[in-house]
Amino acid sequence: MWDVHRARVHWPRLTPMPQAQVWLVRLPDDTQAVSPETQACLSQEEVQRARRFTQPRHAWRYMAAHAALRTLLAEALHCAPHALAWQTDADGKPHLPQHPLQFNLSHSDVWALVATHPTLALGVDLEIHQPWQDMDGLALGILHPDEASAWQQLPVATQAQALHAAWTRKEACLKALGTGLRLPPEQVVVGMAAAPSQGRWRQDGGHTVDWCDLPLPLPTPHSACLAWVQA
């Protein structure tokens, strides 16, 4: 059985930029349920949402990831995990109404990332690599024309890795802005540089977002990125 309090001591922490913290969380495997103590960290809304998953492993991982997020925020704010009450804006980005601490969560397969910063809005994304069903179609759908041209010139053997990296960077930037896919990903230009890399994207008429790839000690191919909005 997976318990958030026992698991907490094993989460490595990265500090990819000043004051930012990113924790790598190992979620339950296919046969592990979460403990009652873990479920007690969650809100009723989170428990109800988890119960709507058709696959039990997806429910357990959802609960574990959100319990991990609540546990880390509670440590920073000196409160009980279940006592945290955040709000979401019109695009669904959560925030703490009475505290400037910023946070974001991403999970893929049996891994999750929790990122925090004292004041800067941020986004984090983790993707465990899976085969693309229509790699060419996806590339044309999410890449800026300059990125698509550069991607098409890459060796075929490296295209999947490059596309995973680009998608992860774009997702992190969009999560930092809080727009989600309301802003088309092809408008977020992150280049096709091989990971690890870092960069800056300036939204037309809007914010400046910095991003950096995250080197994670995972046994499977993956891409991970942290993005933050400049104050």
Side-chain angles (χ1 to χ4, degrees), residues 131-142:
W132 300 110
Q133 292 188 353
D134 181 12
M135 186 166 64
D136 290 342
L138 179 64
L140 293 176
I142 69 169

Side-chain angles (χ1 to χ4, degrees), residues 24 26 110-111 128 216-222:
L24 176 63
R26 179 66 159 83
V110 296
W111 299 98
I128 302 300
L216 302 177
L218 298 185
T220 55
H222 64 280

Side-chain angles (χ1 to χ4, degrees), residues 3 7-8 12-13 20 26 44 50 60 68 77 86 95 101 111 114 117-118 128 152 161 175 178 181 183 201 211 222:
D3 181 79
R8 170 67 185 91
R13 183 182 65 177
R26 179 66 159 83
Q44 284 301 311
W60 302 136
L77 300 177
W86 50 67
H95 63 277
L101 181 68
W111 299 98
V114 175
H117 190 281
I128 302 300
Q152 289 170 336
Q161 166 68 30
K175 292 174 73 175
L181 294 178
L183 181 66
W201 168 63
W211 57 267
H222 64 280

Side-chain angles (χ1 to χ4, degrees), residues 14 34 54-55 66 83 97 131 163 168 174 178-179 196 199-200 205 217 223 228:
L14 293 76
V34 299
T54 58
Q55 295 287 336
H66 283 255
L163 191 58
T168 304
L174 291 170
T179 63
R200 172 171 290 178
S223 298
W228 59 96

